[in-house]
């Protein structure tokens, strides 16, 4: 199974600033995804990161707030823009070799906004 | 690390007993289902999966049951151990032209020694 590394593992940021989270997979994967997990809750899909094209966002998430890049088959970034305390959450990257195979996850980025 | 599942339903079992964690999924078109285990400070870890053309699948100490009629999924853990204490999520994969995996609410399993 793919090994997924995220950086940074945690950060504390000032409101109004932006932070870019990096996700590196140790093998080429077809599909990469970004999730948010608010304290005490389940995972919510933010978007599917498509290689070579714009990300596909879920309802309630927009590109201006969460721009995503996927320059190749092993790497993606998620930016959390113009942060507010409501953005404090765990952001998780996941990857899957193809559709009906289990997605594997990184350990997440724990983000706190003051 | 931060704790996950602080506000989730909790199942408390005695060490050595069997655990059953239930999940209702939402989309009748879902064709692939996964159980994940999440420990504090870590990402979800794959446990077992099942496709919609099956109703049961067994792994090591774990069994997943799928009832498509009532859109219900369960995870059975045999001889539960303290290391099984974690939050467990069911997830369903939906084919909408692309694939996406949607997570259920989660259950926190607490194993008493």
């Amino acid at each position: 199974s793919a090994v997924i590394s995220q950086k940074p593992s945690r950060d504390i940021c000032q409101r109004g600033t932006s932070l870019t989270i990096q996700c590196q997979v140790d093998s080429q994967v077809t599909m990469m995804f970004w999730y948010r997990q608010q304290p005490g809750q389940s995972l919510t899909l933010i978007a599917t990161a498509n290689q070579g094209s714009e990300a596909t966002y879920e309802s309630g998430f927009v590109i201006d707030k969460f721009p995503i890049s996927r320059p190749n088959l092993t790497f993606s970034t998620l930016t959390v823009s113009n942060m507010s305390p409501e953005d404090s959450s765990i952001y998780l990257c996941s990857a899957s070799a193809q559709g009906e195979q289990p997605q594997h996850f990184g350990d997440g980025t724990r983000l706190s906004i003051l | 690390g931060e704790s996950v599942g602080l506000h989730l339903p909790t199942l408390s079992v005695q060490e050595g007993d069997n655990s059953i964690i239930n999940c209702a999924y939402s989309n009748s078109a879902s064709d692939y289902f996964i159980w994940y285990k999440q420990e504090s400070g870590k990402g979800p870890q794959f446990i077992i999966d099942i496709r919609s053309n099956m109703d049961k699948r067994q792994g090591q100490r774990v069994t997943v049951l799928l009832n498509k009629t009532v859109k219900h999924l369960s995870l059975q853990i045999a001889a539960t151990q303290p290391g099984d204490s974690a939050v467990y999520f069911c997830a369903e994969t939906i084919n909408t032209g692309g694939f996406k995996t949607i997570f259920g609410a989660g259950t926190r399993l607490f194993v008493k020694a």
Side-chain angles (χ1 to χ4, degrees):
Chain A
S1 61
V3 176
I4 299 169
S5 303
Q6 280 185 239
K7 289 195 297 187
S9 59
R10 61 174 65 237
D11 208 340
I12 300 172
C13 301
Q14 296 295 321
R15 68 177 67 201
T17 63
S18 299
L19 179 75
T20 295
I21 303 167
Q22 298 181 2
C23 178
Q24 180 73 55
V25 188
D26 70 343
S27 59
Q28 292 188 341
V29 290
T30 305
M31 311 186 77
M32 294 183 74
F33 306 87
W34 288 97
Y35 287 80
R36 181 173 72 184
Q37 186 174 29
Q38 296 183 307
Q41 297 189 26
S42 185
L43 284 73
T44 300
L45 180 63
I46 297 172
T48 302
N50 301 307
Q51 195 268 328
S53 64
E54 198 169 279
T56 304
Y57 289 85
E58 296 300 304
S59 176
F61 298 96
V62 295
I63 188 171
D64 289 346
K65 177 67 175 177
F66 297 102
I68 287 170
S69 78
R70 179 137 185 232
N72 56 50
L73 292 175
T74 64
F75 187 78
S76 178
T77 67
L78 169 75
T79 298
V80 186
S81 302
N82 188 24
M83 291 183 283
S84 66
E86 292 72 34
D87 295 319
S88 296
S89 192
I90 302 170
Y91 292 86
L92 294 137
C93 172
S94 76
S96 174
Q98 63 184 50
E100 287 191 358
Q101 291 189 4
Q103 292 173 218
H104 297 278
F105 285 80
D107 283 338
T109 295
R110 286 145 184 81
L111 188 56
S112 298
I113 292 91
L114 303 178
Chain B
E2 292 84 349
S3 295
V4 297
L6 295 177
H7 309 297
L8 297 173
T10 297
L11 174 65
S12 186
V13 300
Q14 199 68 40
E15 181 180 2
D17 287 351
N18 297 334
S19 302
I20 299 176
I21 300 171
N22 296 304
C23 173
Y25 65 91
S26 58
N27 195 319
S28 57
S30 296
D31 49 15
Y32 177 60
F33 304 87
I34 311 161
W35 279 100
Y36 287 95
K37 172 186 180 183
Q38 187 176 29
E39 297 174 296
S40 183
K42 296 192 174 181
Q45 176 187 3
F46 169 78
I47 302 174
I48 191 168
D49 57 2
I50 188 168
R51 300 189 186 281
S52 60
N53 61 353
M54 304 170 68
D55 54 20
K56 180 178 180 179
R57 189 164 187 225
Q58 288 185 287
Q60 186 176 12
R61 279 202 311 121
V62 293
T63 301
V64 55
L65 298 177
L66 173 63
N67 185 330
K68 294 182 289 293
T69 303
V70 294
K71 293 192 287 187
H72 184 268
L73 201 62
S74 68
L75 177 70
Q76 300 177 0
I77 304 174
T80 314
Q81 303 168 359
D84 295 326
S85 293
V87 177
Y88 290 81
F89 293 100
C90 68
E92 57 186 304
T93 294
I94 303 169
N95 184 349
T96 58
F99 287 94
K100 61 181 181 180
T101 297
I102 306 301
F103 278 69
T107 298
R108 184 166 186 259
L109 177 65
F110 178 69
V111 182
K112 296 176 286 187

